[in-house]
Amino acid sequence: MGPPLRLHELIRAIRSVKTQNEEREVIQRECAEIRSSFRDEDSVYRGRSVAKLLYMHMLGYPAHFGQMECLKLIASPRFTEKRIGYLGAMMLLDERQDAHLLITNSMKRDLEHSSAVVQGMALCTLACLGSVEMCRDLAGEVERLLQTSNGHVKKKAVLCAVHIIRKVPDLVEMFIPTSEMLLAEKRHGVFYGAVLLATEICQRQPAAIKGFRKILPLLLQKLRQIMTGYSPEHAVSGVTDPFLQVRILRLLRILGQSDGSVCDTMSDMLAQISTCTETQTNAGNAVLYETVLTIVETKSASGLRVLAVNILGRFLLSNDKNIRFVALTSLQRLVQTDHAAVQRHRGTIVEFLRQTDTSVNRKALDLCFALVNEANIRVMMKEFQRFLQFCSPELKEQCTSGIFLCAERFSPSKRWHIDTIMETLVTAGESVRDDAVSHLIQLISGSSELHGYIVQRLYKAVRKDIVQQPLVQVAAWCIGEYGDLLIIGACEEEEAIQVTEDDVLDVLEGILQSHISLPSTRAYTLTAIMKLSTRFHNTINRIRRVVSIYGCCHDVELQQRAVEYNALFKKYDHMRPAILEKMPVPEKSTLAETEACIEEIKEESENQPKSIPSSSQPVSYVTDLLGLLEESSDSTPVTSGVSSVNQNLPNGSLLDLLDEVPNPAALPSLVVYNNNGLQVEFSFTRQPSSPALLVINSCATNSSASDVSDFLLQAAVPKSVQIQLQAPSGSSVPASGGGSVTQSIRILNPQKVPLRMRLRLSFTHNGNLVQDICEVNNFPTETWQ
């Protein structure tokens, strides 16, 4: 037999076939020959065989049987074979396979090799597939190569060090001194890697930030050189070195997060980048976007923050949908802290509601809801209603929920509030939250002066159309409660209509008999007809007949109601008027108490310094226990004006806003989470003067040997309870109990229902992202009774 096919000959043979079956035949024949050569320990053509195997692997065919041959090639002294071996290892091996540990000794020898090319190949392979064990074993060699004079090796060693830190955060301390020296490098590739390494170190170990702040002038000088000079080698679409600019800006963002002096030092540079960067290309927009993030996430001056918002405003005018989407997402993060600056771009944001792109519509809708306040509620509600008529079905539920929340928070009058919700129910149809009907009924029952107007309007709506089931349910309830007002025409707001008792019953019977009526709608309607037996006087016999008919209905719920109502007519007719009298107006004590708390907070927030956001911004109430944690990032509990006010108050307590300062009652603490060394404990505070208010102080501690970073706690409660989460004290929990992250959670429970809470915790531990969900049902009874 002659020598095996060369790689280019195999490629030519595969490309010359005409069918998939012929290609498989060529591959199978060649794989058989390669296996045979591997069994014969043919070292002459081993490199050629592995190269062909890698090509077949790229075509999607199995090539795992060549893994051990890659290890043999790596151990070979010949450079051509070693190169193929390292390439094969990076393609066929990963840290989930035990075979990759066998090349550790070969890589260790190659890292000490005299050839810079061999060292570079070993570094590339370690950065590609290095596991925790390999990184620990070879970290010393990588740290030594960071100090070599060869720029090619040093550049690859820096990137390898970044991989080691990501895999083994415990080794951060080893690279801190070297990284500070590398930032003085003049070679572009090495400096770029040094900035990336310094960023990773600062993210993994916040204590190292103080040391890196010393090289801040050097970073600013490098940025200034990039802005004033031009390097064709690194320019992209006319923008000089955008990748390096972005990396430096990310490092500056970390260095200036909690230091006002650092922010003042780099403010001029940020302003220069914001005004001088080209905005006609994606490269320039990327640099501007990172500049905006750096300004927003540091303690920058107010003028610089306004400049950042204006940059995002220019992004909104871009023809590129991706850029507009990025601008909307960024403005949504800014609206809580720079509400007035974002408000100036409201007209442009509202225009996005008229576009056809669903993703842009969704982001624009969220941002529009965040911009609603008392001054623009009427104008914005018209835009929402117009959007609701033409939006896609998947956005209708989100839009209706936002309309309900905004109307409840900022409605100028009760009549406007009720009209808005009824119009929304007509437009949205079935795309409303489950609690929309009960919410509107509660609102109507508390507006006694509008009962005549409301029942007349609802009667007109259901007489015209009974397709919108939520609206029909509300109308049936109102007609059953206030049908007498409909008959006598007690409506001062508009011209009363002439309605007879039979007309009302005709409409309600039509709802009962309609095939589009839901079982719950029929239940509402049957109860309404029964209640009219005490409001009407001339149609009692007709009501009896209707109720008796449904005593044998196939719907068990409807049948049970009809049987009970028939019993009222027969055995307990003398009790019927008392049982079916009008529902009492809801007690205002607990609700008024809740509103009083919010009003006091509002008054205090208006007296706070201007740097604190105004309470006119919308408050986000997290009310969905089961649905919140499965939604998008957009559903993360938002720190509202209430919590913003208290960030600067002693002990962070809402009770400090009140005039009375009694001693809080002592309540037992509760450990709600204990896993992976992370423990979250709740302590509770209640004041006798505000029994509906519960302040929960969450304290997260870490008993493990490594830090917990990117810590995020989210919470959701039942719909009858209102919750507000204040910003946490930090996002990193030090190891071995070296510190804690605290967060204040405020619960308004006016109905004093048993307290339940679902928690979602997200954090990074030992380089792994951990997401956990738990439910807390064992709150002490003193916290809600």
Side-chain angles (χ1 to χ4, degrees):
M1 295 180 61
L5 291 177
R6 296 179 181 272
L7 176 60
H8 67 273
E9 294 173 346
L10 175 64
I11 295 174
R12 188 182 301 114
I14 292 176
R15 290 183 176 179
S16 64
V17 299
K18 297 180 179 180
T19 64
Q20 184 74 26
N21 189 38
E22 292 178 359
E23 178 182 306
R24 283 195 293 268
E25 290 179 358
V26 173
I27 296 294
Q28 290 174 359
R29 184 170 59 252
E30 192 61 34
C31 284
E33 294 181 4
I34 292 174
R35 280 193 173 93
S36 177
S37 67
F38 287 166
R39 284 194 298 269
D40 296 340
E41 292 293 333
D42 184 3
S43 60
V44 177
Y45 298 109
R46 180 180 289 131
R48 182 184 301 181
S49 299
V50 172
K52 292 187 292 184
L53 199 60
L54 295 180
Y55 177 72
M56 289 185 283
H57 172 73
M58 289 188 291
L59 295 179
Y61 293 95
H64 58 278
F65 60 89
Q67 293 175 351
M68 298 306 297
E69 302 303 316
C70 293
L71 305 184
K72 295 177 182 178
L73 289 175
I74 291 175
S76 172
R78 298 176 59 185
F79 172 76
T80 54
E81 294 184 349
K82 191 181 291 290
R83 180 180 58 182
I84 295 295
Y86 274 122
L87 178 61
M90 286 187 280
M91 294 180 62
L92 302 180
L93 295 175
D94 57 49
E95 59 178 288
R96 292 172 296 181
Q97 299 166 344
D98 294 337
H100 83 283
L101 295 174
L102 300 176
I103 65 174
T104 303
N105 291 332
S106 298
M107 290 178 63
K108 186 178 180 67
R109 289 194 301 269
D110 289 340
L111 289 175
E112 299 173 353
H113 201 277
S114 58
S115 172
V117 179
V118 175
Q119 291 177 340
M121 289 191 302
L123 289 170
C124 287
T125 307
L126 178 59
C128 178
L129 59 87
S131 62
V132 175
E133 294 80 4
M134 289 180 65
C135 290
R136 290 188 182 276
D137 294 338
L138 302 176
E141 283 70 18
V142 174
E143 196 271 338
R144 178 182 58 81
L145 291 177
L146 287 173
Q147 304 174 21
T148 185
S149 59
N150 189 298
H152 173 80
V153 175
K154 185 178 292 188
K155 178 175 63 176
K156 295 182 180 296
V158 170
L159 298 178
C160 191
V162 172
H163 174 77
I164 292 175
I165 291 176
R166 289 173 178 172
K167 297 298 293 184
V168 191
D170 298 344
L171 300 178
V172 170
E173 292 285 349
M174 176 185 297
F175 298 101
I176 291 178
T178 310
S179 60
E180 293 178 355
M181 293 187 297
L182 289 173
L183 288 171
E185 276 280 348
K186 295 183 179 180
R187 284 171 287 199
H188 180 273
V190 179
F191 180 77
Y192 180 91
V195 173
L196 179 59
L197 179 60
T199 304
E200 287 292 331
I201 290 175
C202 292
Q203 289 176 342
R204 305 288 172 177
Q205 187 165 344
I209 295 177
K210 185 176 180 181
F212 282 102
R213 285 179 180 147
K214 299 176 184 178
I215 50 92
L216 180 63
L218 181 63
L219 296 174
L220 296 177
Q221 180 184 359
K222 189 66 176 179
L223 269 179
R224 193 171 293 107
Q225 291 174 356
I226 296 174
M227 292 296 298
T228 56
Y230 181 75
S231 175
E233 183 181 358
H234 305 114
V236 179
S237 301
V239 180
T240 304
D241 213 342
F243 294 99
L244 183 57
Q245 288 191 62
V246 167
R247 286 296 178 187
I248 295 176
L249 287 170
R250 289 181 182 176
L251 180 56
L252 293 179
R253 183 160 70 241
I254 297 175
L255 298 181
Q257 278 182 350
S258 57
D259 194 314
S261 61
V262 173
C263 298
D264 295 338
T265 304
M266 63 184 183
S267 59
D268 292 340
M269 191 67 244
L270 294 177
Q272 182 181 351
I273 297 175
S274 302
T275 54
C276 299
T277 302
E278 178 64 39
T279 60
Q280 302 301 320
T281 62
N282 277 339
N285 289 330
V287 174
L288 284 176
Y289 178 65
E290 289 297 332
T291 306
V292 169
L293 293 183
T294 303
I295 294 173
V296 169
E297 297 184 15
T298 56
K299 297 181 179 179
S300 301
S302 58
L304 206 56
R305 300 180 73 88
V306 172
L307 179 60
V309 176
N310 292 337
I311 292 174
L312 295 177
R314 294 204 304 270
F315 284 178
L316 292 175
L317 303 176
S318 173
N319 295 326
D320 191 330
K321 293 181 180 180
N322 295 325
I323 295 178
R324 293 202 296 264
F325 185 86
V326 168
L328 290 171
T329 305
S330 303
L331 287 173
Q332 192 171 358
R333 297 168 59 183
L334 277 169
V335 71
Q336 296 297 329
T337 55
D338 297 274
H339 189 269
V342 180
Q343 191 75 245
R344 287 196 288 268
H345 302 279
R346 190 185 71 209
T348 306
I349 297 168
V350 170
E351 286 294 326
F352 289 137
L353 295 178
R354 302 185 179 97
Q355 295 188 1
T356 57
D357 191 293
T358 304
S359 59
V360 174
N361 288 155
R362 190 185 303 276
K363 283 296 179 183
L365 187 63
D366 290 339
L367 187 53
C368 285
F369 283 135
L371 292 175
V372 175
N373 54 29
E374 291 91 343
N376 59 27
I377 179 64
R378 293 181 183 272
V379 176
M380 294 296 291
M381 198 57 67
K382 292 180 181 178
E383 296 292 341
F384 294 145
Q385 296 290 356
R386 185 183 297 112
F387 174 74
L388 190 60
Q389 294 177 3
F390 306 104
C391 70
S392 57
E394 60 266 22
L395 289 180
K396 278 194 173 182
E397 184 173 355
Q398 177 186 354
C399 185
T400 53
S401 299
I403 288 174
F404 291 160
L405 289 174
C406 291
E408 180 180 4
R409 177 61 178 160
F410 303 108
S411 61
S413 65
K414 281 189 176 181
R415 175 172 174 175
W416 182 92
H417 190 182
I418 294 172
D419 287 344
T420 299
I421 295 183
M422 287 194 295
E423 183 180 355
T424 303
L425 291 178
V426 171
T427 307
E430 304 297 327
S431 302
V432 296
R433 280 173 24 184
D434 295 338
D435 62 338
V437 173
S438 59
H439 172 74
L440 181 55
I441 288 175
Q442 183 180 10
L443 182 64
I444 292 173
S445 63
S447 307
S448 56
E449 69 279 4
L450 297 174
H451 286 168
Y453 164 75
I454 294 170
V455 70
Q456 178 170 306
R457 181 168 179 183
L458 287 172
Y459 174 76
K460 292 178 181 178
V462 295
R463 187 177 62 179
K464 180 180 179 181
D465 185 12
I466 60 172
V467 174
Q468 314 299 345
Q469 293 296 291
L471 183 67
V472 174
Q473 294 172 10
V474 176
W477 186 91
C478 288
I479 293 172
E481 290 293 323
Y482 315 119
D484 52 339
L485 300 179
L486 183 62
I487 298 300
I488 65 177
C491 180
E492 299 178 358
E493 285 76 8
E494 58 184 34
E495 184 180 354
I497 59 175
Q498 299 298 323
V499 182
T500 65
E501 295 181 1
D502 286 321
D503 293 336
V504 176
L505 290 177
D506 287 342
V507 172
L508 294 180
E509 283 192 57
I511 297 173
L512 278 175
Q513 297 168 5
S514 174
H515 66 281
I516 63 175
S517 296
L518 299 174
S520 57
T521 305
R522 290 191 174 95
Y524 272 99
T525 306
L526 186 62
T527 302
I529 292 176
M530 187 62 188
K531 284 205 167 189
L532 289 178
S533 67
T534 62
R535 278 73 162 167
F536 293 172
H537 306 289
N538 302 325
T539 54
I540 301 297
N541 292 330
R542 181 179 177 180
I543 293 175
R544 280 199 182 108
R545 289 197 303 271
V546 172
V547 172
S548 63
I549 290 174
Y550 288 90
C552 55
C553 178
H554 292 293
D555 187 340
V556 177
E557 173 68 21
L558 208 60
Q559 181 188 99
Q560 180 179 348
R561 287 175 185 252
V563 170
E564 293 171 351
Y565 295 157
N566 277 322
L568 278 179
F569 275 121
K570 295 176 181 179
K571 296 182 180 180
Y572 308 100
D573 194 61
H574 62 285
M575 300 173 59
R576 180 168 51 85
I579 294 175
L580 300 177
E581 65 181 5
K582 292 183 179 180
M583 294 291 291
V585 178
E587 296 182 3
K588 296 291 185 180
S589 58
T590 56
L591 295 176
E593 177 186 337
T594 302
E595 294 174 0
C597 290
I598 297 177
E599 286 300 322
E600 289 185 10
I601 296 167
K602 180 178 177 181
E603 292 175 3
E604 289 290 332
S605 65
E606 292 174 352
N607 297 327
Q608 293 295 317
K610 294 183 179 179
S611 60
I612 298 178
S614 171
S615 66
S616 63
Q617 300 170 17
V619 178
S620 296
Y621 293 115
V622 183
T623 58
D624 188 356
L625 177 66
L626 300 177
L628 170 72
L629 299 181
E630 283 75 24
E631 295 179 358
S632 66
S633 69
D634 296 337
S635 305
T636 302
V638 181
T639 304
S640 65
V642 175
S643 59
S644 299
V645 171
N646 290 279
Q647 290 176 0
N648 295 333
L649 294 176
N651 301 325
S653 175
L654 277 173
L655 302 175
D656 296 334
L657 298 175
L658 306 177
D659 295 333
E660 302 176 5
V661 191
N663 293 325
L667 298 174
S669 59
L670 178 64
V671 176
V672 297
Y673 182 83
N674 191 356
N675 196 11
N676 296 315
L678 181 68
Q679 177 176 297
V680 179
E681 184 176 6
F682 281 0
S683 58
F684 310 97
T685 304
R686 292 184 69 182
Q687 291 287 348
S689 58
S690 300
L693 177 65
L694 172 67
V695 180
I696 301 176
N697 294 312
S698 168
C699 180
T701 57
N702 177 19
S703 59
S704 66
S706 57
D707 293 346
V708 169
S709 59
D710 301 327
F711 176 74
L712 177 64
L713 172 67
Q714 296 172 284
V717 292
K719 297 175 181 177
S720 58
V721 182
Q722 296 174 352
I723 183 173
Q724 294 172 331
L725 277 77
Q726 192 175 9
S729 61
S731 60
S732 178
V733 188
S736 304
S740 62
V741 172
T742 59
Q743 187 172 7
S744 180
I745 305 173
R746 291 166 175 78
I747 302 292
L748 288 176
N749 187 9
Q751 301 180 15
K752 297 184 178 180
V753 298
L755 192 56
R756 295 182 300 154
M757 184 179 295
R758 175 167 287 189
L759 302 176
R760 181 168 71 176
L761 296 97
S762 174
F763 54 90
T764 302
H765 191 224
N766 289 328
N768 299 320
L769 178 62
V770 180
Q771 291 184 341
D772 209 349
I773 296 177
C774 63
E775 189 164 344
V776 185
N777 295 318
N778 56 340
F779 283 96
T781 55
E782 297 87 347
T783 60
W784 51 270
Q785 284 187 347

